[in-house]
Amino acid sequence: MASVSFDKIEKNFGKVKVLHGISFDIADGEFVVLVGPSGCGKSTLLRMLAGLEEISGGDISIDGKVINDLDSKDRDIAMVFQSYALYPHMTVGENMAFSLKLRKAEKALTEERVGKAAKILNLHTLLDRYPRELSGGQRQRVAMGRAIVRDPKVFLFDEPLSNLDAKLRVAMRAEIKALHQRLKTTTVYVTHDQIEAMTMADRIVVMHDGIIEQIGTPLELFDRPGNLFVAQFIGSPAMNVFEGTLRSQQGRPWVEADGQQWPVGPVAGGKDGQGVHYGIRPGDISMVEPAQGIPATVVVVEPTGAETEIILQVGETMLTLVLHGRTDVKPDQAVGLQIAAEKVHLFEKSGGQRIG
Amino acid sequence: MIKGWSLRKVSTEAQLLLVGIPVVLWTLIPVYHLFLFAISPRDTATSGRLWPKSPTMQNFEIVFGQKHFYLSHFWQQLGNSLLIAIATGALTLLVATTAAFAISRLKVRGGRTVMNLALFTYFIPAAFLAVPMYKTMSNYGLLNNRWAMILAMVTIASPYCIWVLKQASDKLPWELDEAARIDGASPLQLFRLVYVPLMVPSLVAVGTYALLLAWNEYLYGFLLLSKETDLPLAVALGNFLSADDSPWELLMATGFIYALPPAAIYYAFKRYMVSGLTAGAVKS
Amino acid sequence: MAEAVATLPKVRRPANSWEIWGRLLVVPYLLIFVIFVVYPVGYGLYLARDPQNYVRLFDDPIFFRTAINTLVFVVVAVNLKMIIALGLSGFFAQTRWWINIVALLFILPWAVPSIPTILSVRFMFNSEWGVINTLIFKLTLKDGPNWLNDPTIALGLSMMMHIWKSLPFWTLILLAGRLAIPSEQYEAASVDGATRWQKFRFITWPSMKGLYLTSTILSMIFTLGDFNSVYLLTGGGPADLTHVLATLGIRYLRLDQIELAMASIVVALPFVLPLVYVMMKRLSK
């Protein structure tokens, strides 16, 4: 049972400032994902929560109590590392029991907790093995088992799936999510992979260069990205973005770019003649007869089995389109593009803030 | 032509043998000579034969029985060598392991400086430090105390051991320490339960190095200890030389006995010794 | 974007247990260092402070002889040894079953303590009843030379002893360096038609240059400190003519002139310290 709170957190490494006043709250039992490109500060923030990095400014609280000066072991947290950090000279069982052994817990209690965790994670047959005898996925589960045995207030995950191959990653994602639904422990999860964020989080914190770009549920971030960075970071394939000019005539707005008129949904707060970034997701574009839509030329067709990705050229701009199923279009074919106006995202040309 | 043997191949093998055979001879002659003397009776030892006419264990009997003036304290001196060597090994391990842990894992402030101080000490030839050390031990009142030699040996052995241990420690992944801290380990628990178990191979190499250094040492024992019952065997061997009519074959027999433990240890721990000591020189 | 921070407020934290333990755990070594290194060095320098000592030192012909001996010893023995080690490292890099056996025997000088072996050699070269002269007499009916009584030969024998003892170690070091070179480079060179010498010159040597240099310098430092090879073979004789720096201190000690012993070491420092400095630079990279 624990809420976590970050209040104006700052971090300096020597003269270099890497976190600029991070503030947000995590509710008890929430699964929050910190996501962003390398170097955005997400791991640093997590490690500060863990007590592995000094806090240069601001306060971190767990359950309302400021923990800045508490040593890691007194914070009642457990952490799963990217490289698992299993003790190579101890068996799986000993690894999971280590924290209890340090506190000189009773044997019965240790066995009970370890047994329970092993059962949840399907490790009960591996308790006498050594880490070097296990596969990557098994080691990951042992690392999680070690965290579960602690029965902490908060789980911390530092890019735990980065070392696994793609298929295993998908399977482990589901396992971690299921674990959270079962144990309901507050979880802070760091990753650079936005798909992991989208599939696992209750809420996502998008970070970039030491600041928070946006906080919201996965669908909030997907449907209404607050700025250009979030728009292009969330969603795969990435949102198509190009520059244009907003025009508003007779109450009907549209965007002029590359000599074409691009449809736009109702826009609040935009001015005629304003420079904008025009954003449309690959799934919100469809192909029609050349005369019925914006003229475009097919460049590449990439069928991925269930879907097809098509790269098209309109004037100077390249756009990506995703459609379900197959298509007959061929490279160099002329097609027309139809865009769902209400799915268009507009961002200010300078600063990238969302318009409307 | 023998099947599979080309002229070129034969000449390569011949060239290798041309190197190999002299190397073996050169390596073995002093040791074989030692062995030869040890198993020869007094009068025939110097006859120049390749194998004694009547090989005997008599010399060893005399040595073990302490039946000669120069050997009257053989067992005591052997014991001294053992004591000094083991104490040096143990104490050096203690000093070096704690220092390496503090510098490498705890990242103590000034750790680099301590490391550099240690390296500096290692590079000063021990023979240069001998006379000052003699005077120092005299000032401390430790002359003719075996602890003088033990402490001197620990001083000489520690720097290299700290360096080797630090290099090995640096290879341990950082996350292990972090995971242990989060699991609730105190510094001592981290040292005892995680660090030391993972460092065992290096500890063996380093402890053995210090032990052998002390066992093989002559100069410091010669300077710091003078009472016959305090002497390590190495120094006692040197004392044989003071008279013209010394029983050389007994000296060689004693020397042979004295040489056995280090040779045995080296061959037993060959892998550790080679990897442990060359790791310092060749940075991969 | 990371911005430079103009001023950081100094935050005073109480030292946590990790820092305290860090400092505690270096104390054992620091104690040893202060009590058994700093004090002796300081005291030694103190003993050598009188300039008169240096006058007496330079007036002593033995000192000059010793300096020359040391120079010859270090320069000749070390370079000879390293060249042989370099060659032998190539030999031991070949994979033959019998070479492995040779390697096993080869480390014997390193494994066996030097005292018995040096004494063994000393007896071998004894001019009256040593094996060498006995064999020479048997073969030529003439007396062999008085090996250890000729200062030049005696010094040469000391150098040989030193090389015998330390060659295995350096051969192993250079062997490790050689084995670190990926074999594909040699294979590519073979395809390109390189001879054995060319392979050495263009592949082996460039890779090993650094290690060879470091080893040579380190070996020079070790050789300066080799007391046993001279003392146990010749005792510094005949007539104090084969002393090296390492054994000279003992001579002065015997003559109850400890200040001269210290002075002789101080005089050597300007030669030793630069070597040490270079070694430290190379190793702390």
Side-chain angles (χ1 to χ4, degrees), chain C residues 138-205:
Chain C
K138 270 199 181 161
L139 293 173
T140 68
L141 288 180
K142 274 202 283 230
D143 281 331
N146 199 336
W147 304 93
L148 293 174
N149 239 2
D150 179 329
T152 317
I153 299 183
L155 192 67
L157 283 180
S158 297
M159 287 198 275
M160 195 187 73
M161 201 65 230
H162 170 84
I163 295 179
W164 184 84
K165 172 94 181 129
S166 54
L167 189 61
F169 178 73
W170 294 113
T171 309
L172 277 180
I173 298 269
L174 291 182
L175 178 63
R178 221 182 243 267
L179 291 178
I181 305 173
S183 55
E184 289 95 39
Q185 290 192 22
Y186 293 107
E187 288 163 5
S190 288
V191 169
D192 282 342
T195 65
R196 246 189 16 216
W197 169 249
Q198 284 171 327
K199 284 183 196 172
F200 176 79
R201 195 168 145 218
F202 295 114
I203 301 178
T204 315
W205 178 245

Side-chain angles (χ1 to χ4, degrees), chain B residues 13 30 33 123 140 267 283, chain C residues 35 96 104 120 164 221 285:
Chain B
E13 295 304 296
H33 181 257
F123 289 140
Y140 290 158
Y267 278 97
K283 288 244 192 105
Chain C
I35 299 177
R96 303 272 191 287
L104 218 58
S120 170
W164 184 84
I221 297 176
K285 251 183 299 172

Side-chain angles (χ1 to χ4, degrees), chain A residues 21 64 70 78 122 143 145 151 198-200 209 218 247-248 275 277 291 301 336 343 348:
Chain A
L70 283 185
N122 227 345
D151 196 22
M198 293 291 284
T199 53
M200 300 203 290
D209 280 342
R247 297 254 172 256
S248 176
H277 291 282
V301 179
K343 293 284 177 88
E348 290 171 9

Side-chain angles (χ1 to χ4, degrees), chain A residues 73 87 90 94-105 110 150, chain B residues 177 179-194, chain C residues 18:
Chain A
K73 65 180 194 285
Y87 306 115
M90 301 186 201
E94 287 165 354
N95 260 281
M96 300 202 330
F98 188 63
S99 57
L100 293 176
K101 177 175 166 182
L102 289 175
R103 281 163 233 265
K104 304 196 189 349
T110 309
R150 297 280 315 282
Chain B
D177 297 52
R181 284 174 80 149
I182 293 186
D183 274 343
S186 69
L188 274 192
Q189 283 173 322
L190 179 66
F191 180 77
R192 193 167 51 96
L193 298 170
V194 179
Chain C
W18 293 85

Side-chain angles (χ1 to χ4, degrees), chain C residues 21-260:
Chain C
W21 273 105
R23 292 184 207 156
L24 268 183
L25 288 177
V26 281
V27 162
Y29 177 66
L30 285 179
L31 271 181
I32 300 260
F33 183 74
V34 167
I35 299 177
F36 295 109
V37 178
V38 175
Y39 180 87
V41 168
Y43 190 67
L45 293 175
Y46 170 76
L47 282 177
R49 70 195 182 287
D50 190 352
Q52 270 302 307
N53 291 329
Y54 298 94
V55 175
R56 281 156 64 195
L57 197 64
F58 289 125
D59 271 342
D60 188 352
I62 301 293
F63 176 71
F64 268 109
R65 179 79 195 215
T66 304
I68 295 178
N69 286 347
T70 310
L71 194 64
V72 169
F73 198 109
V74 172
V75 169
V76 173
V78 168
N79 284 305
L80 192 58
K81 170 176 52 176
M82 292 307 294
I83 293 176
I84 298 178
L86 187 61
L88 281 183
S89 69
F91 172 75
F92 285 113
Q94 312 291 324
T95 43
R96 303 272 191 287
W97 62 269
W98 57 273
I99 292 189
N100 286 344
I101 299 183
V102 174
L104 218 58
L105 294 174
F106 184 63
I107 66 174
L108 209 49
W110 184 34
V112 168
S114 56
I115 297 125
T117 49
I118 296 179
L119 292 179
S120 170
V121 171
R122 180 174 179 150
F123 296 154
M124 270 169 65
F125 283 93
N126 184 300
S127 52
E128 290 168 33
W129 41 263
V131 171
I132 304 278
N133 275 6
T134 310
L135 281 175
I136 291 183
F137 186 76
K138 270 199 181 161
L139 293 173
T140 68
L141 288 180
K142 274 202 283 230
D143 281 331
N146 199 336
W147 304 93
L148 293 174
N149 239 2
D150 179 329
T152 317
I153 299 183
L155 192 67
L157 283 180
S158 297
M159 287 198 275
M160 195 187 73
M161 201 65 230
H162 170 84
I163 295 179
W164 184 84
K165 172 94 181 129
S166 54
L167 189 61
F169 178 73
W170 294 113
T171 309
L172 277 180
I173 298 269
L174 291 182
L175 178 63
R178 221 182 243 267
L179 291 178
I181 305 173
S183 55
E184 289 95 39
Q185 290 192 22
Y186 293 107
E187 288 163 5
S190 288
V191 169
D192 282 342
T195 65
R196 246 189 16 216
W197 169 249
Q198 284 171 327
K199 284 183 196 172
F200 176 79
R201 195 168 145 218
F202 295 114
I203 301 178
T204 315
W205 178 245
S207 276
M208 297 205 27
K209 244 189 337 206
L211 182 62
Y212 187 84
L213 186 60
T214 308
S215 303
T216 304
I217 297 176
L218 191 55
S219 180
M220 284 186 176
I221 297 176
F222 286 166
T223 305
L224 274 172
D226 189 349
F227 175 85
N228 293 359
S229 292
V230 173
Y231 189 78
L232 290 173
L233 201 61
T234 68
D240 284 332
L241 288 174
T242 57
H243 270 295
V244 288
L245 217 46
T247 60
L248 192 61
I250 304 301
R251 172 178 180 259
Y252 286 127
L253 199 59
R254 277 237 172 82
L255 297 174
D256 226 0
Q257 295 173 313
I258 193 169
E259 305 80 21
L260 286 190

